[in-house]
Amino acid sequence: MENIHWEYLFNPELAIQSLPYILEGIGYTLLISFVSMAAGLVLGFFLALGRTSKSPLLRWPARAYISFMRGVPILVVLFLLYFGFPVIGIEFSAVTAALLGFSLNSAAYMAEINRSAITSIDKGQWEAASSVGLSYWQTLRGIILPQAVRIAVPPLANVLLDLIKASSLAAMITVPELFQKAKIVGGREFDYMTMYIVVALIYWGICTLVSVLQEFLERKFSMYAKT
């Protein structure tokens, strides 16, 4: 059996030297992840309301949107926005296309999470609120959403984790985020393995911090549920 040349697998010196350059892309990674999460939350909330609406004019368009975005790979969405839309005279910068693509895509998943959380609340609470004269929006804001948020936190955190990891696909449309920076160094130094290991550890670190935040929020909402 041939000896394994570990220096070909990971070059610590190159990793340390290249780390500052790779970390220059962390801003784009976090921008895409958190802005897309925030925008997706807002759009996903209204999609969830449309999905549960009694009106077909709201329910069916929401269902069609969710079905399309969940059924199309995010990379295809990014390519449509960045390479396809210029054909009809609409051009986006790489960062704008990434923000739009991830926001529109994540909204579909968050819509289903929100819908599931909202519909999990006992219907008797809607009826009780209506009996004391509360409107739909008053009931939703004051009674249903506080309970639904507690239920939605774990799956929404998973969506954020997926966004952070999937943001590496923005490199395919030239966004200079973490993975794109690692590819550049790997190509220049002819050592992709070291760079891929470095960037994997960085993503792992970011996702670990988000997981800690998730656990904190779960404990916080759990305390509210008991009081």
Side-chain angles (χ1 to χ4, degrees), residues 30-46:
L30 297 179
L31 174 71
I32 292 169
S33 303
F34 285 94
V35 171
S36 298
M37 181 70 183
L41 269 174
V42 175
L43 179 56
F45 172 71
F46 288 104

Side-chain angles (χ1 to χ4, degrees), residues 69 74-87 90-94 96-105 173:
M69 283 298 175
I74 181 59
L75 188 59
V76 174
V77 176
L78 294 177
F79 274 42
L80 284 172
L81 290 169
Y82 189 64
F83 297 114
F85 270 50
V87 175
I90 302 175
E91 295 189 18
F92 299 113
S93 68
T96 301
L99 289 172
L100 279 173
F102 283 106
S103 297
L104 294 173
N105 183 266
I173 58 171

Side-chain angles (χ1 to χ4, degrees), residues 49-189:
L49 295 183
R51 180 80 165 77
T52 57
S53 173
K54 296 179 180 179
S55 171
L57 293 178
L58 294 176
R59 187 170 66 254
W60 287 107
R63 291 188 66 171
Y65 178 91
I66 292 169
S67 175
F68 178 80
M69 283 298 175
R70 292 176 73 189
V72 176
I74 181 59
L75 188 59
V76 174
V77 176
L78 294 177
F79 274 42
L80 284 172
L81 290 169
Y82 189 64
F83 297 114
F85 270 50
V87 175
I88 58 175
I90 302 175
E91 295 189 18
F92 299 113
S93 68
V95 174
T96 301
L99 289 172
L100 279 173
F102 283 106
S103 297
L104 294 173
N105 183 266
S106 64
Y109 293 91
M110 286 188 269
E112 287 297 275
I113 292 171
N114 292 333
R115 179 188 64 81
S116 177
I118 290 172
T119 56
S120 69
I121 307 303
D122 189 86
K123 291 183 179 180
Q125 298 194 36
W126 287 96
E127 296 169 356
S130 178
S131 68
V132 296
L134 293 180
S135 68
Y136 173 84
W137 288 105
Q138 287 174 326
T139 304
L140 186 67
R141 183 177 66 252
I143 299 175
I144 304 301
L145 283 183
Q147 300 176 75
V149 166
R150 177 172 55 87
I151 298 170
V153 164
L156 287 176
N158 287 335
V159 172
L160 178 57
L161 290 172
D162 287 339
L163 276 172
I164 291 170
K165 292 179 289 184
S167 67
S168 60
L169 293 174
M172 301 299 102
I173 58 171
T174 71
V175 176
E177 45 70 66
L178 285 172
F179 189 63
Q180 173 77 341
K181 293 284 189 178
K183 284 178 61 181
I184 291 173
V185 177
R188 185 182 66 211
E189 302 294 334

Side-chain angles (χ1 to χ4, degrees), residues 7-25:
E7 66 272 17
Y8 296 148
L9 180 63
F10 185 76
N11 184 335
E13 184 179 353
L14 176 61
I16 294 172
Q17 291 176 350
S18 304
L19 189 59
Y21 177 77
I22 294 174
L23 288 176
E24 289 177 6

